[in-house]
Amino acid sequence: MHLIGVLLAAGRSGRMGRLKQLLPWPPVDGERPLVAAAFDAIAPACCAMVVVVGHEADAVLAALGERTFQSAHVESGAEMLVSVKAGLLAARAIHPTADVLLHPADHPEVKPETIEQLVRASAEFSDRAVMPEFGGKGGHPAIVPSALVPNILDFTAA
């Protein structure tokens, strides 16, 4: 299975009052920026990475340091669906038939076991997107199979 990671890092962090992606993680000793921790959490499972940026794009990209990835840019303040579509298009350009691991940049901790379970579930249910569930609610990251990517790209919100 080819799996491309798409890190959604374009948000404005409006409610927070400052750019969440650049906050130190972990909060106590500030080892690295939150966006870098989220990247590092999913990258080992992926054959390539895409980072979608918008608001303060240069600062977010700089916070990723020497990590290897492609970037996709959206307008500052764009809806998350716009970021998802930009990431999916960038992933398609890298490998047209790869599945996509979608992950928000403000979720820095994902257990490798969670990703392994998602990959297994995705292989079993290859026609469906899969995501972890906790307390009856969906979580992150999610795997979108290649076959569903055109449906998402064609979707328009009402």
Side-chain angles (χ1 to χ4, degrees), residues 37-50:
F39 183 103
D40 295 345
I42 67 166
C46 302
C47 63
M49 290 290 293
V50 173

Side-chain angles (χ1 to χ4, degrees), residues 3-79:
L3 189 61
I4 296 179
V6 173
L7 189 64
L8 303 171
R12 296 180 57 88
S13 306
R15 291 178 302 200
M16 180 140 232
R18 60 188 252 205
L19 198 60
K20 213 182 321 184
Q21 298 92 314
L22 302 182
L23 292 174
W25 191 262
V28 176
D29 59 21
E31 181 179 315
R32 60 198 158 161
L34 192 66
V35 66
F39 183 103
D40 295 345
I42 67 166
C46 302
C47 63
M49 290 290 293
V50 173
V51 178
V52 182
V53 292
H55 185 68
E56 295 191 38
D58 292 339
V60 173
L61 293 173
L64 290 166
E66 299 297 318
R67 290 165 181 83
T68 301
F69 60 91
Q70 302 286 324
S71 61
H73 296 257
V74 298
E75 287 189 38
S76 181
E79 296 292 326

Side-chain angles (χ1 to χ4, degrees), residues 5 12 30 32 37 45 48 74 78-79 87 89-90 100 105-106 119 133 153 155:
R12 296 180 57 88
R32 60 198 158 161
V74 298
E79 296 292 326
L89 284 170
V100 175
D106 60 355
V119 168
E133 182 182 296
L153 293 175
F155 179 79

